Amino acid sequence: MVGKSQIKFIKSLQQKKYRYEHQLFVVEGKKTVHELMASDFETYKIYSTDLNFVKSVAYKVELIKADDLKKMSSLSTPNGYLGVFKIPKPKKIPLHDWIVALDTISDPGNLGTIIRLCDWFGIKNIVTTTNNVDCFNPKVLQATMGSIARVQVTSVALVDFLKTANLPIYGAFMNGTPVHKVNFTDPGILVMGNEANGISEEISKLVTERITINHFGASTTESLNVATATAIIVHEIRR
């Protein structure tokens, strides 16, 4: 039986303040819960309305009523699975492969999508500015579709990181070398900027090559969504 205090505690983890106070975060959905249970993330507690699942995975899994799950959930229509996991301690960022660096991404859906596409293209590390949207935000985790289990996202003092990484730094701008003409090194760092303001002036100064995605046709669209732009550029890098 899940008590009111337990429900209140799980619900509180939707807020960044309480996530980091308790070093716990919440994911929802069968696929994402399974992905994290099978990963290096440490399980704190799993709740499910699926009796067969509870019986098959007895460890730290509790059967819960649909009404109680709805009280815990951040979703308007919970889908029967909710997992609480421990926030891992930051690990050293390896510099032997490509890294995506995010300069103040503010939309949870964009960050979640970027994590997912990095997983698709085999990029294991993302670094972000300290004022980036939190990677353990429920909306971010929902958008990753479980890819958070395989991509390490580390919040860093990005300027200092770029200065000391000793790798070529490619930045996405409205003007630069067309991405399909760039001879990408391996490894390197790809910097993507804020949805509204792009890459900050301080970080722009550290970029060793400015790149852009060509615009075709008569469209008056000013720019691409940052997640879409990241996908195009990362595809070119891996190609």
Coordinates of all heavy atoms in Angstrom, one line a residue, residues 171-182 184 190-192 210-216 221-236:
G171 N 31.2 25.0 -34.4 CA 30.0 25.7 -33.9 C 29.0 25.9 -35.0 O 29.4 26.3 -36.1
A172 N 27.7 25.7 -34.6 CA 26.7 25.9 -35.6 C 26.2 27.4 -35.6 O 25.7 27.9 -34.6 CB 25.5 25.0 -35.3
F173 N 26.3 28.0 -36.8 CA 25.9 29.4 -36.9 C 25.0 29.6 -38.2 O 25.0 28.7 -39.0 CB 27.1 30.3 -37.0 CG 28.0 30.4 -35.8 CD1 29.0 29.4 -35.6 CD2 27.8 31.3 -34.8 CE1 29.8 29.5 -34.5 CE2 28.6 31.4 -33.7 CZ 29.6 30.4 -33.5
M174 N 24.4 30.8 -38.3 CA 23.7 31.1 -39.5 C 24.6 31.3 -40.7 O 24.2 31.1 -41.9 CB 22.8 32.3 -39.3 CG 21.7 32.1 -38.3 SD 20.6 30.7 -38.7 CE 19.9 31.3 -40.2
N175 N 25.8 31.7 -40.4 CA 26.8 31.9 -41.5 C 28.1 31.1 -41.2 O 28.6 31.1 -40.0 CB 27.2 33.4 -41.7 CG 26.0 34.2 -42.1 OD1 25.5 34.0 -43.2 ND2 25.5 35.1 -41.3
G176 N 28.6 30.4 -42.1 CA 29.8 29.6 -41.9 C 30.0 28.7 -43.1 O 29.4 28.8 -44.2
T177 N 30.9 27.7 -43.0 CA 31.2 26.7 -44.0 C 30.0 25.8 -44.1 O 29.6 25.2 -43.1 CB 32.5 25.9 -43.7 OG1 33.5 26.8 -43.6 CG2 32.8 25.0 -44.9
P178 N 29.4 25.6 -45.3 CA 28.3 24.6 -45.4 C 28.7 23.2 -44.9 O 29.8 22.8 -45.2 CB 28.1 24.6 -46.9 CG 28.5 25.9 -47.4 CD 29.7 26.2 -46.6
V179 N 27.8 22.7 -44.1 CA 28.2 21.5 -43.3 C 28.7 20.3 -44.3 O 29.5 19.5 -43.9 CB 27.0 21.0 -42.4 CG1 25.8 20.6 -43.3 CG2 27.4 19.9 -41.5
H180 N 28.1 20.2 -45.5 CA 28.5 19.1 -46.4 C 29.8 19.3 -47.0 O 30.4 18.4 -47.6 CB 27.4 19.0 -47.5 CG 27.3 20.1 -48.4 ND1 26.6 21.2 -48.1 CD2 27.8 20.3 -49.6 CE1 26.6 22.1 -49.1 NE2 27.4 21.5 -50.1
K181 N 30.4 20.5 -46.8 CA 31.8 20.8 -47.3 C 32.9 20.7 -46.2 O 34.0 20.9 -46.5 CB 31.8 22.2 -48.0 CG 31.0 22.3 -49.2 CD 31.1 23.6 -49.9 CE 30.3 23.7 -51.2 NZ 30.5 25.0 -51.8
V182 N 32.4 20.5 -45.0 CA 33.4 20.5 -43.9 C 34.1 19.2 -43.8 O 33.5 18.1 -43.8 CB 32.7 20.8 -42.5 CG1 33.6 20.7 -41.4 CG2 32.0 22.1 -42.6
F184 N 35.4 17.1 -41.3 CA 35.4 17.0 -39.9 C 36.6 16.1 -39.4 O 36.9 15.0 -40.0 CB 34.1 16.3 -39.4 CG 32.9 17.2 -39.5 CD1 32.0 17.1 -40.5 CD2 32.7 18.3 -38.6 CE1 30.9 17.9 -40.6 CE2 31.6 19.1 -38.7 CZ 30.7 18.9 -39.7
L190 N 31.1 19.4 -31.1 CA 30.1 20.2 -31.8 C 29.4 21.0 -30.8 O 28.8 20.5 -29.9 CB 29.2 19.3 -32.6 CG 27.9 19.9 -33.2 CD1 28.3 20.9 -34.3 CD2 26.9 18.9 -33.7
V191 N 29.4 22.3 -31.0 CA 28.6 23.2 -30.1 C 27.3 23.7 -30.8 O 27.4 24.2 -31.9 CB 29.5 24.5 -29.8 CG1 28.7 25.4 -28.8 CG2 30.8 24.1 -29.1
M192 N 26.2 23.5 -30.1 CA 24.9 24.0 -30.5 C 24.4 25.0 -29.5 O 24.6 24.8 -28.3 CB 24.0 22.8 -30.6 CG 24.4 21.7 -31.5 SD 24.7 22.1 -33.3 CE 23.0 22.6 -33.7
R210 N 33.4 27.7 -37.9 CA 32.0 28.0 -37.9 C 31.3 27.2 -39.1 O 31.8 27.3 -40.2 CB 31.8 29.5 -38.1 CG 32.3 30.3 -36.9 CD 32.4 31.8 -37.3 NE 31.0 32.4 -37.3 CZ 30.5 33.1 -36.3 NH1 31.2 33.4 -35.2 NH2 29.3 33.6 -36.4
I211 N 30.3 26.5 -38.8 CA 29.6 25.7 -39.8 C 28.1 26.1 -39.9 O 27.6 26.7 -39.0 CB 29.7 24.2 -39.6 CG1 29.1 23.8 -38.2 CG2 31.2 23.8 -39.6 CD1 29.1 22.3 -37.9
T212 N 27.5 25.9 -41.0 CA 26.1 26.2 -41.2 C 25.4 25.1 -42.1 O 26.1 24.3 -42.8 CB 26.0 27.6 -41.9 OG1 24.6 28.0 -41.8 CG2 26.4 27.5 -43.4
I213 N 24.1 25.1 -42.0 CA 23.3 24.2 -42.9 C 22.7 25.1 -44.0 O 22.0 26.1 -43.7 CB 22.2 23.5 -42.0 CG1 22.8 22.7 -40.9 CG2 21.3 22.7 -42.9 CD1 21.8 22.2 -39.9
N214 N 23.0 24.7 -45.2 CA 22.5 25.5 -46.3 C 21.0 25.7 -46.3 O 20.2 24.7 -46.0 CB 22.9 24.9 -47.7 CG 24.4 25.3 -48.0 OD1 25.1 25.9 -47.1 ND2 24.8 25.0 -49.2
H215 N 20.5 26.8 -46.7 CA 19.1 27.1 -46.9 C 18.7 27.1 -48.4 O 19.4 27.6 -49.2 CB 18.8 28.5 -46.3 CG 17.4 28.9 -46.4 ND1 16.9 29.7 -47.5 CD2 16.3 28.7 -45.6 CE1 15.6 29.9 -47.3 NE2 15.2 29.3 -46.2
F216 N 17.7 26.3 -48.7 CA 17.3 26.2 -50.1 C 15.9 26.8 -50.3 O 15.0 26.7 -49.4 CB 17.3 24.7 -50.6 CG 18.7 24.2 -50.5 CD1 19.2 23.5 -49.4 CD2 19.5 24.2 -51.7 CE1 20.5 23.0 -49.4 CE2 20.8 23.7 -51.6 CZ 21.3 23.1 -50.5
T221 N 11.6 31.0 -43.6 CA 12.0 30.5 -42.3 C 13.4 31.0 -41.9 O 14.3 30.9 -42.6 CB 12.0 28.9 -42.3 OG1 10.7 28.5 -42.7 CG2 12.4 28.4 -41.0
E222 N 13.5 31.5 -40.6 CA 14.7 32.1 -40.2 C 15.8 31.1 -39.8 O 17.0 31.4 -40.0 CB 14.4 33.1 -39.1 CG 13.6 34.3 -39.5 CD 13.4 35.3 -38.3 OE1 13.9 35.0 -37.2 OE2 12.8 36.4 -38.6
S223 N 15.3 30.0 -39.2 CA 16.3 29.1 -38.7 C 15.6 27.7 -38.5 O 14.4 27.6 -38.5 CB 16.9 29.5 -37.3 OG 15.9 29.6 -36.4
L224 N 16.5 26.7 -38.2 CA 16.0 25.4 -37.9 C 15.9 25.2 -36.4 O 16.6 25.8 -35.6 CB 16.9 24.3 -38.5 CG 17.0 24.1 -40.0 CD1 18.1 23.2 -40.4 CD2 15.7 23.6 -40.5
N225 N 15.0 24.3 -36.0 CA 14.9 23.9 -34.6 C 16.3 23.3 -34.2 O 16.9 22.6 -35.0 CB 13.8 22.8 -34.5 CG 13.9 22.1 -33.2 OD1 14.6 21.1 -33.0 ND2 13.1 22.5 -32.2
V226 N 16.8 23.5 -33.0 CA 18.1 23.1 -32.6 C 18.3 21.6 -32.6 O 19.4 21.1 -33.0 CB 18.5 23.7 -31.2 CG1 17.6 23.1 -30.1 CG2 20.0 23.5 -30.9
A227 N 17.3 20.9 -32.3 CA 17.4 19.4 -32.3 C 17.5 18.9 -33.8 O 18.3 18.0 -34.1 CB 16.2 18.8 -31.6
T228 N 16.7 19.5 -34.7 CA 16.8 19.2 -36.1 C 18.1 19.5 -36.7 O 18.7 18.7 -37.4 CB 15.7 19.9 -36.9 OG1 14.4 19.6 -36.3 CG2 15.7 19.5 -38.3
A229 N 18.6 20.7 -36.3 CA 20.0 21.1 -36.8 C 21.1 20.1 -36.3 O 22.0 19.8 -37.0 CB 20.3 22.5 -36.4
T230 N 20.9 19.8 -35.0 CA 21.9 18.8 -34.5 C 21.9 17.5 -35.2 O 23.0 16.9 -35.5 CB 21.6 18.6 -33.0 OG1 21.6 19.8 -32.3 CG2 22.7 17.7 -32.3
A231 N 20.7 17.0 -35.5 CA 20.6 15.7 -36.3 C 21.3 15.8 -37.6 O 22.0 14.9 -38.0 CB 19.2 15.4 -36.4
I232 N 21.1 16.9 -38.3 CA 21.7 17.0 -39.7 C 23.2 17.1 -39.6 O 23.9 16.4 -40.3 CB 21.1 18.3 -40.4 CG1 19.6 18.1 -40.7 CG2 21.9 18.6 -41.6 CD1 19.0 19.4 -41.1
I233 N 23.7 17.8 -38.6 CA 25.2 18.0 -38.5 C 25.8 16.7 -38.0 O 26.9 16.3 -38.6 CB 25.5 19.2 -37.6 CG1 25.0 20.5 -38.2 CG2 27.0 19.3 -37.4 CD1 25.1 21.7 -37.3
V234 N 25.2 16.1 -37.0 CA 25.8 14.8 -36.5 C 25.8 13.8 -37.6 O 26.8 12.9 -37.7 CB 25.1 14.4 -35.2 CG1 25.5 13.0 -34.8 CG2 25.3 15.3 -34.1
H235 N 24.8 13.7 -38.4 CA 24.8 12.8 -39.5 C 25.9 13.0 -40.5 O 26.6 12.1 -40.9 CB 23.5 12.9 -40.3 CG 23.4 12.0 -41.5 ND1 23.8 12.5 -42.8 CD2 23.0 10.7 -41.7 CE1 23.6 11.5 -43.7 NE2 23.2 10.4 -43.0
E236 N 26.2 14.3 -40.7 CA 27.4 14.6 -41.6 C 28.7 14.2 -40.9 O 29.6 13.7 -41.6 CB 27.4 16.1 -41.9 CG 26.3 16.5 -42.9 CD 26.5 15.9 -44.3 OE1 27.7 15.8 -44.8 OE2 25.5 15.5 -44.9

